[in-house]
Amino acid sequence: FYMMNFTPQMLTFWLEASNVSRHQFIQEFGLSPLVYVPRLPSALQPIFSILYVLIFILALAGNTAVLFLLCRRKALQAPSTFFVCSLALSDLLISIFCVPATLLQHFFTNWLAGEFLCKLVAFLQVTAISASIFTMICIAAERFQGILYPLQLQNGYFPSHAIKMLAGVWLAALVIACPMWYAHKVEVKYDFLFDVHYTCCQEIWPHTWQRQAYTTFLLLLVFLVPMVTMSVLYGKIMRELWGKHRVHDVMFQTLPGSEINKITRKKRRAVKMMATVVLLFAVCWAPFHLVSVLYDYGKLSLDPDQEFLVFTTVQILGFGNSICNPVVYAVLNKNFKKGLLA
């Protein structure tokens, strides 16, 4: 028979007519569950569980340290401090809410956290990713203006401007993430063949084109366009700092050559650090965006178990970005390294 035409009434009739138990019936025909519940292969479960736990611990400790070291009176005098704190806050949202919830979802057949958390986790993931990349654009713009147009920055840029920019960043991120609150729902699915109820947290859209449109929108607005913009800005910054004729040295004409070189080296280190942050973000989240688009447009061409494994892999790679920034700061920023050791 064809399982798509099989109904609970037919199953009851068959069991009574054949005088067999449900288990015997399933065993005799070698039937699979009617409701697919994605699970990781048993051999990979310990590996992924260790990775999730490590990301949670390291991201929580590293980004908490960043906020602790930067949220001091002296550090808060620099506008760039607010941007770095914004990056740390978005990474904390990922580590505190998304990593544990995703871990539980991968290792249990039922969603245990209720509908509110089902919506909240997906909503916060998109919010955090959007806030991170928009914050990095602000950092790139601030570096660009400070290095190529230092007089304008000195005359009109204060920490209050950074706070206003970040307020706009987080407001935009919340607006972009709103559809996830609408699309994510908890559904109870009944497998009448195995007589089992499954509680699932899923992304459900009324129409396929809506899901495709939103995924494409995220790819463009929250990844490709910001990456191209930052590539252009950092390209011009690097040409300015590493070029033979640097316009920004006009500001320091009264300083000796050694002091100018010292200032230039300091600016180069800061640019290298933030460019590394952007590059790591791109490496970690590009596979997730690519797989999401391929899946929504039906181009992934994998069976359900393979799709789930691919999604889990690219998602944990994206979550891993939450531990990258503190490591970059510790390696490339001497002051942060000293404060961390203290």
Side-chain angles (χ1 to χ4, degrees):
F1 58 89
Y2 295 97
M3 292 303 295
M4 65 178 63
N5 297 322
F6 199 52
T7 64
Q9 293 77 17
M10 292 175 61
L11 175 62
T12 303
F13 174 78
W14 195 292
L15 293 178
E16 292 176 352
S18 304
N19 195 25
V20 296
S21 67
R22 185 187 301 268
H23 178 71
Q24 290 172 331
F25 177 75
I26 293 171
Q27 290 292 109
E28 181 179 351
F29 290 97
L31 302 177
S32 301
L34 300 179
V35 177
Y36 171 72
V37 179
R39 297 294 301 276
L40 288 170
S42 300
L44 295 179
Q45 287 183 5
I47 298 174
F48 276 90
S49 61
I50 291 172
L51 290 175
Y52 273 109
V53 171
L54 284 176
I55 290 173
F56 173 76
I57 294 173
L58 295 176
L60 184 63
N63 290 288
T64 300
V66 171
L67 290 175
F68 177 78
L69 291 174
L70 294 182
C71 291
R72 296 174 295 177
R73 183 172 300 177
K74 184 177 180 180
L76 290 176
Q77 294 175 359
S80 59
T81 298
F82 294 94
F83 297 129
V84 177
C85 286
S86 176
L87 289 178
L89 180 59
S90 61
D91 287 336
L92 278 177
L93 287 179
I94 292 286
S95 61
I96 293 173
F97 291 96
C98 301
V99 172
T102 306
L103 174 63
L104 293 176
Q105 191 174 22
H106 287 341
F107 287 90
F108 290 91
T109 56
N110 287 293
W111 175 258
L112 306 175
E115 185 160 4
F116 177 77
L117 281 180
C118 172
K119 293 177 177 292
L120 182 66
V121 169
F123 175 77
L124 288 180
Q125 179 173 323
V126 176
T127 299
I129 296 170
S130 303
S132 291
I133 200 160
F134 292 159
T135 300
M136 287 188 284
I137 291 178
C138 291
I139 294 173
E142 186 257 343
R143 300 290 185 202
F144 176 81
Q145 188 176 9
I147 291 172
L148 273 73
Y149 305 100
L151 293 176
Q152 294 181 14
L153 188 66
Q154 275 193 340
N155 294 334
Y157 197 84
F158 302 98
S160 60
H161 294 149
I163 295 174
K164 292 177 182 177
M165 291 172 69
L166 286 177
V169 161
W170 281 91
L171 181 60
L174 291 171
V175 171
I176 289 172
C178 281
M180 297 304 287
W181 192 277
Y182 162 79
H184 269 75
K185 298 177 177 67
V186 171
E187 282 196 346
V188 178
K189 298 183 178 181
Y190 177 55
D191 186 342
F192 66 84
L193 180 61
F194 283 74
D195 193 24
V196 178
H197 289 84
Y198 296 101
T199 304
C200 308
C201 174
Q202 294 181 319
E203 185 179 345
I204 303 172
W205 294 84
H207 303 284
T208 303
W209 69 266
Q210 293 176 333
R211 180 176 185 140
Q212 293 173 344
Y214 185 65
T215 302
T216 305
F217 170 77
L218 290 180
L219 174 66
L220 293 175
L221 187 64
V222 186
F223 192 76
L224 290 181
V225 172
M227 283 299 166
V228 171
T229 302
M230 287 186 286
S231 297
V232 172
L233 291 176
Y234 279 115
K236 291 184 178 182
I237 290 171
M238 290 177 180
R239 185 174 60 184
E240 176 71 17
L241 286 178
W242 277 267
K244 293 182 179 180
H245 304 288
R246 296 189 296 271
V247 176
H248 71 279
D249 285 347
V250 174
M251 285 187 62
F252 311 112
Q253 287 178 349
T254 58
L255 297 177
S258 60
E259 286 297 319
I260 294 177
N261 290 333
K262 184 178 179 180
I263 293 171
T264 301
R265 286 195 300 270
K266 185 177 179 181
K267 290 183 177 182
R268 285 176 176 175
R269 283 197 300 270
V271 170
K272 284 181 181 178
M273 184 180 72
M274 295 316 305
T276 303
V277 168
V278 173
L279 180 61
L280 288 173
F281 182 91
V283 170
C284 290
W285 283 110
F288 179 82
H289 285 286
L290 177 62
V291 170
S292 297
V293 170
L294 290 176
Y295 175 78
D296 287 347
Y297 282 90
K299 303 296 183 181
L300 206 53
S301 301
L302 298 172
D303 64 54
D305 289 331
Q306 291 174 332
E307 284 181 354
F308 183 69
L309 179 58
V310 169
F311 262 110
T312 304
T313 302
V314 297
Q315 189 173 43
I316 202 170
L317 177 62
F319 288 164
N321 181 249
S322 299
I323 67 176
C324 292
N325 291 352
V327 174
V328 171
Y329 303 151
V331 172
L332 298 180
N333 189 295
K334 293 181 180 180
N335 292 331
F336 181 81
K337 186 187 298 184
K338 291 179 182 177
L340 189 62
L341 292 174

